[in-house]
Amino acid sequence: MTSSACTLLVVGAGPAGRALAHRALVHGMSVTVVDPAPDAAWRSTFGMFDDDLPGWLPRDVIACDATSFTVFTPERREVGRRYCVLDAPALQRALTLDGARLEASRAREITAHTVRLDDGRLLSADHVIDARGGGATDPRIPRQTAYGAVVSGDGTEMVLMDWRQTGAAAPTFSYRVGLGGGRRLIEETCLAGAPPVPLDVLAARNARRAGSAEPGGAEPELVDFPLHPGPAPWRPPDGVPRYGAAGGLMHPATGYSIAASLGAADGLAAALARGGDPVRALWPRRARWTYRLRLVGLAVLLGFDGRELTAFFDAFFGLPVHRQRAYLGGRDDLRGTLATMWAVFRALPGQQKARLVRLTGRAVWAGRPR
């Protein structure tokens, strides 16, 4: 049996799926959301740059922010760009789904226009978008891992990367941010690994970083996800467009995805409301080439040891903020991405320049069309 059709059916009610469904409702579309627990509370820590926060979101979704952030590469460097940590429950409340049909069920089969639920019902829509996250399971795909502890402590200092205690092998950095309410997160992170640094190793390193900090009463934050979905996201193998981290909106060289998932939601919803194609709306040619360049960036990072990574990020964070933003943010800023990559290359010492050229050549050759 097939139920009545809607304009948009979103599978997955995490931040990406909920943001898309929310904006689709604003644009007047009829929306169905399928998720086993559509109102399950969000508990992850979502960090992003303040200037990437969409204007349609209220400012009270921010739990803690600072006018600048700090990196240690290995010397302390302060970068004048506002960074914030979102209040996950407030973000979830802001992405209202009033007027949407919620199906608390698991999707068993998905096509571009239908979804078969666990109970056998078949839902249909003009557009079906898979926003379930999860990502690729191929063990060859690099992953990011992290172990975080919430501790008691006031202050809003945002330390995005502290490379001072990393070794040459299995390099990791410390991420330390305010959460608001007298709490801070101290998190040891393997930026990218194939295989990644195991969580137990990260936990031990994180304990040394935290020292005698008083526990903040929360469960540890465990992070383990693939840095890209595998196949080109603009060519989904089953023909079902994907949205969010599993749809290529995660930056493959940093692991950030929340800003892109929130930032692209309104434009995609507007395109769907006009009857546009979701893949073309999300992946114009500039976005596809920018994504390919970011994959090259990921391959380069995988080839560096801890000392080389520290020098690389020292060069990167020494660039003007607009150059950093072009690489970290704009999904279709091809010119800005190229300019930033060239600027980092110029700032590196000679020996590392040569190594970067070799790593880039290998990455481009490995990714060539066959």
Side-chain angles (χ1 to χ4, degrees):
M1 182 176 68
T2 305
S3 73
S4 58
C6 62
T7 310
L8 175 64
L9 195 158
V10 178
V11 183
R18 196 175 179 101
L20 178 58
H22 170 76
R23 298 316 293 171
L25 289 165
V26 171
H27 284 277
M29 301 171 70
S30 57
V31 177
T32 297
V33 176
V34 173
D35 189 282
D39 295 317
W42 298 347
R43 303 190 184 281
S44 298
T45 300
F46 302 123
M48 62 185 292
F49 295 102
D50 186 276
D51 51 23
D52 284 334
L53 191 72
W56 49 264
L57 271 172
R59 298 289 298 178
D60 63 9
V61 302
I62 297 175
C64 187
D65 67 344
T67 57
S68 62
F69 64 88
T70 301
V71 293
F72 291 91
T73 58
E75 300 303 318
R76 180 189 177 97
R77 184 190 292 275
E78 189 168 328
V79 181
R81 186 181 181 193
R82 185 179 286 271
Y83 188 82
C84 63
V85 173
L86 304 184
D87 181 329
L91 176 64
Q92 190 172 18
R93 290 192 299 270
L95 299 175
T96 57
L97 297 180
D98 299 338
R101 172 184 172 184
L102 302 183
E103 287 284 351
S105 181
R106 199 173 297 275
R108 191 170 69 195
E109 299 172 1
I110 305 177
T111 73
H113 300 289
T114 63
V115 172
R116 175 80 64 183
L117 303 181
D118 264 352
D119 62 9
R121 285 181 296 147
L122 186 67
L123 309 181
S124 64
D126 295 340
H127 300 283
V128 171
I129 305 291
D130 188 349
R132 288 177 295 180
T137 57
D138 188 335
R140 295 170 297 180
I141 293 177
R143 302 181 73 86
Q144 182 171 118
T145 51
Y147 183 98
V150 176
V151 301
S152 299
D154 294 322
T156 61
E157 184 186 27
M158 303 291 188
V159 179
L160 261 64
M161 286 183 163
D162 184 346
W163 291 100
R164 288 177 295 179
Q165 296 180 30
T166 194
T172 62
F173 65 89
S174 179
Y175 171 78
R176 303 189 295 275
V177 295
L179 301 176
R183 299 178 306 138
R184 290 184 62 78
L185 174 69
I186 301 176
E187 188 169 87
E188 195 73 15
T189 303
C190 167
L191 179 62
V197 177
L199 289 173
D200 59 341
V201 174
L202 293 170
R205 294 183 183 181
N206 201 57
R208 290 196 295 271
R209 301 262 198 185
S212 59
E214 182 181 345
E219 291 294 317
E221 179 160 293
L222 308 180
V223 174
D224 185 355
F225 55 76
L227 285 163
H228 63 81
W234 51 89
R235 288 196 295 267
D238 54 6
V240 180
R242 285 167 174 76
Y243 189 75
L249 295 192
M250 177 181 290
H251 195 307
T254 68
Y256 277 82
S257 67
I258 186 69
S261 296
L262 294 174
D266 190 70
L268 177 55
L272 293 175
R274 296 191 300 267
D277 176 79
V279 174
R280 289 185 179 180
L282 271 178
W283 294 105
R285 181 173 297 180
R286 289 192 308 275
R288 283 178 270 158
W289 279 108
T290 301
Y291 184 79
R292 290 185 178 106
L293 285 175
R294 290 174 170 181
L295 287 176
V296 171
L298 169 61
V300 168
L301 296 181
L302 288 167
F304 284 156
D305 64 21
R307 289 185 293 269
E308 292 168 328
L309 278 173
T310 303
F312 177 88
F313 283 109
D314 188 60
F316 178 83
F317 287 115
L319 298 179
V321 167
H322 75 278
R323 283 277 170 257
Q324 298 176 32
R325 189 174 192 273
Y327 184 77
L328 296 175
R331 290 183 56 247
D332 59 356
D333 188 359
L334 179 58
R335 180 178 297 180
T337 299
L338 283 167
T340 300
M341 294 174 82
W342 174 246
V344 170
F345 175 79
R346 291 182 62 189
L348 289 173
Q351 187 174 2
Q352 198 166 354
K353 277 191 176 79
R355 182 150 170 74
L356 188 147
V357 168
R358 290 195 297 272
L359 290 169
T360 300
R362 290 177 194 167
V364 172
W365 177 256
R368 73 196 189 285
R370 290 174 169 81

